[in-house]
């Protein structure tokens, strides 16, 4: 008997399967497409329901992000249509994989006017410069292959979606950060009365208080964040929660005192930026893993494994993206 998965678990699976082909050194969208389709077809979560790719994938490799030791794509996302409910469309995007992505994650010391992406926003609404760079790339990208070759996401949506359809953006980590501004921007560009939703897993703050309030106003109940309380990524870049990172894994993991000072200093410096999350999250935690006394290992468990555990999933069994 086939398992029944929740809507949110399906969205998390889609965001995870988006890692298909992530460490593929050659720029080859056709190969990426094959790996993605294999992952969607083989995963029991998406097989025969959410394995119908109707646009994409869109794959982009930015020349300025290349290093001698890395040759990976910077962005990849796609759209699936629910085979059981044709009104249900979902967009899933890959999270941080490249050097450029890491730089964009950390580019929070300059705020960009949100109105350049959304003319209906208040003047005070601003997002981090890194997220603005990501969003600009995502909005201009076109499908690298059929279906939808050469069309942008918004062009595809305006040509194919109908009034009353639902469009859900799914992203984890960096994807969990940019899916909120992405969802807001796309919602404002749609010609039809489409219900736009966001399922943001483990994301950091994308912008300031005014942007957060605007995102809630535009997306309403469709905006949902899922957060592990012991995951440090969602604690960035709000100045209050950022300070918690210094001691969050004590007593199992103790951060060196000098690093604690740096974290608190950074949090104090960012106070004036007013970074804030949109909406109250659905939160959980399974406690600190006592076997992981290294900060990086504990962080990896809390940022990745804990979310799988929350949905009762296993990598390689339920979520398949490393195609042999």
């Amino acid at each position: 008997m086939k398992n029944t998965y929740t809507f949110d678990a399906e969205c998390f699976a889609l965001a995870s399967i988006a890692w298909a082909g992530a460490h593929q050194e050659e720029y080859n969208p056709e190969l990426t497409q094959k790996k993605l389709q294999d992952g969607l077809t083989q995963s029991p979560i998406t097989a025969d329901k959410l394995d119908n790719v109707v646009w994409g994938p869109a794959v982009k490799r930015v020349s300025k992000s290349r290093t001698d030791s890395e040759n990976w794509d910077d962005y990849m996302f796609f759209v699936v249509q629910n085979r059981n409910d044709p009104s249900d469309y979902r967009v899933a995007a890959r999270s941080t994989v490249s050097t450029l992505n890491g730089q964009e994650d950390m580019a929070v010391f300059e705020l960009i006017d949100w109105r350049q992406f959304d003319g209906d926003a208040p003047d005070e609404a601003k997002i981090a410069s890194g997220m603005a760079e990501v969003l600009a790339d995502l909005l201009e990208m076109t499908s690298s292959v059929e279906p939808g070759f050469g069309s942008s996401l918004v062009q595809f949506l305006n040509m194919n979606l109908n009034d009353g359809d639902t469009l859900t953006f799914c992203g984890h980590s960096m994807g969990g950060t940019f899916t909120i501004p992405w969802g807001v921007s796309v919602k404002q560009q749609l010609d039809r009365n489409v219900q736009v939703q966001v399922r943001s897993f483990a994301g950091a703050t994308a912008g300031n208080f005014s942007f957060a309030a605007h995102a809630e106003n535009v997306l309403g109940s469709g905006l949902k964040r899922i957060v592990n309380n012991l995951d440090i990524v969602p604690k960035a870049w709000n100045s209050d929660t950022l300070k918690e990172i210094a001691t969050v894994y004590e007593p199992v993991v103790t951060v060196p005192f000098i690093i604690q000072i740096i974290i608190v200093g950074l949090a104090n410096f960012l106070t004036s930026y007013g970074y804030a999350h949109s909406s109250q999250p659905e939160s959980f935690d399974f406690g600190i893993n006592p076997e992981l006394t290294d900060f990086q290992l504990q962080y990896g468990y809390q940022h990745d494994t804990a979310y799988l555990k929350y949905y009762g999933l296993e990598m390689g069994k339920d979520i398949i993206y490393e195609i042999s």
Side-chain angles (χ1 to χ4, degrees), residues 31 44 115 119 121 155 243 252 264 274 296 307:
L31 179 58
R115 285 179 61 86
Q155 288 171 336
K243 294 176 183 177
V252 175
V264 173
Q296 189 67 27
Y307 291 86

Side-chain angles (χ1 to χ4, degrees), residues 199-254:
R199 291 299 182 268
S200 167
F201 304 91
T205 54
N208 66 4
F209 288 99
S210 182
F211 169 77
H214 178 66
E216 289 185 49
N217 183 57
V218 172
L219 298 176
S221 61
L223 172 54
K224 184 175 182 180
R225 294 190 303 112
I226 298 89
V227 171
N228 172 12
N229 290 324
L230 293 174
D231 181 1
I232 66 173
V233 173
K235 298 181 183 299
W237 297 96
N238 177 273
S239 58
D240 291 331
T241 55
L242 188 59
K243 294 176 183 177
E244 297 174 9
I245 296 175
T247 57
V248 66
Y249 299 141
E250 290 185 349
V252 175
V253 182
T254 301

Side-chain angles (χ1 to χ4, degrees), residues 5 35 60 89 91 105 135 138 201-202 206 229 248 290 319:
Y5 300 95
K35 291 181 176 180
K60 186 171 184 177
Y89 292 83
V91 184
D105 278 329
L135 187 58
L138 294 175
F201 304 91
N229 290 324
V248 66
I319 295 175

Side-chain angles (χ1 to χ4, degrees), residues 129-194:
S129 60
M131 289 302 102
E133 183 176 342
V134 172
L135 187 58
D137 281 326
L138 294 175
L139 291 173
E140 73 174 13
M141 286 173 65
T142 59
S143 177
S144 305
V145 294
E146 293 291 354
F149 175 72
S151 65
S152 71
L153 175 63
V154 172
Q155 288 171 336
F156 165 79
L157 297 173
N158 279 329
M159 288 178 60
N160 291 276
L161 269 64
N162 299 308
D163 290 341
D165 286 349
T166 299
L167 175 70
T168 306
F169 288 83
C170 313
H172 170 262
S173 191
M174 182 188 193
T177 305
F178 67 63
T179 47
I180 295 176
W182 197 17
V184 171
S185 180
V186 169
K187 168 72 173 176
Q188 303 293 59
Q189 298 179 64
L190 293 181
D191 297 334
R192 307 277 171 76
N193 183 23
V194 174

Side-chain angles (χ1 to χ4, degrees), residues 10-292:
E10 293 173 344
C11 289
F12 181 77
L14 287 169
S16 300
I17 294 171
W19 271 73
H23 299 143
Q24 172 183 304
E25 292 193 354
E26 62 176 311
Y27 177 75
N28 187 336
E30 289 78 13
L31 179 58
T32 302
Q33 179 185 43
K34 181 184 184 304
K35 291 181 176 180
L36 170 63
Q37 189 63 65
D38 286 346
L40 293 170
T41 303
Q42 293 177 30
S43 169
I45 306 175
T46 54
D48 301 320
K49 181 179 181 180
L50 296 170
D51 57 353
N52 181 27
V53 179
V54 292
W55 181 92
V59 186
K60 186 171 184 177
R61 186 170 296 201
V62 182
S63 59
K64 69 179 180 180
S65 73
R66 305 278 69 81
T67 67
D68 292 338
S69 61
E70 174 199 284
N71 197 31
W72 301 333
D73 299 322
D74 297 294
Y75 307 110
M76 190 277 268
F77 65 96
F78 59 96
V79 182
V80 295
Q81 183 181 22
N82 189 333
R83 293 187 185 277
N84 301 332
D85 177 5
S87 69
D88 173 15
Y89 292 83
R90 307 194 204 181
V91 184
R94 190 183 288 162
S95 59
T96 303
V97 65
S98 69
T99 298
L100 175 64
N101 297 154
Q103 294 168 349
E104 291 164 334
D105 278 329
M106 302 297 291
V108 297
F109 301 107
E110 179 184 5
L111 289 170
I112 303 296
D113 288 339
W114 174 245
R115 285 179 61 86
Q116 67 178 281
F117 299 105
D118 176 3
D120 294 333
D123 292 339
E124 299 79 16
K126 299 179 186 297
I127 63 169
S129 60
M131 289 302 102
E133 183 176 342
V134 172
L135 187 58
D137 281 326
L138 294 175
L139 291 173
E140 73 174 13
M141 286 173 65
T142 59
S143 177
S144 305
V145 294
E146 293 291 354
F149 175 72
S151 65
S152 71
L153 175 63
V154 172
Q155 288 171 336
F156 165 79
L157 297 173
N158 279 329
M159 288 178 60
N160 291 276
L161 269 64
N162 299 308
D163 290 341
D165 286 349
T166 299
L167 175 70
T168 306
F169 288 83
C170 313
H172 170 262
S173 191
M174 182 188 193
T177 305
F178 67 63
T179 47
I180 295 176
W182 197 17
V184 171
S185 180
V186 169
K187 168 72 173 176
Q188 303 293 59
Q189 298 179 64
L190 293 181
D191 297 334
R192 307 277 171 76
N193 183 23
V194 174
Q195 180 185 357
V196 176
Q197 303 185 142
V198 167
R199 291 299 182 268
S200 167
F201 304 91
T205 54
N208 66 4
F209 288 99
S210 182
F211 169 77
H214 178 66
E216 289 185 49
N217 183 57
V218 172
L219 298 176
S221 61
L223 172 54
K224 184 175 182 180
R225 294 190 303 112
I226 298 89
V227 171
N228 172 12
N229 290 324
L230 293 174
D231 181 1
I232 66 173
V233 173
K235 298 181 183 299
W237 297 96
N238 177 273
S239 58
D240 291 331
T241 55
L242 188 59
K243 294 176 183 177
E244 297 174 9
I245 296 175
T247 57
V248 66
Y249 299 141
E250 290 185 349
V252 175
V253 182
T254 301
V255 175
F257 184 65
I258 186 62
I259 302 299
Q260 293 188 28
I261 292 176
I262 292 173
I263 293 171
V264 173
L266 175 62
N268 290 333
F269 178 78
L270 288 173
T271 298
S272 63
Y273 288 72
Y275 279 107
H277 275 297
S278 300
S279 78
Q280 290 298 311
E282 175 179 301
S283 59
F284 67 92
D285 77 67
F286 299 105
I288 300 170
N289 188 328
E291 297 180 358
L292 302 177

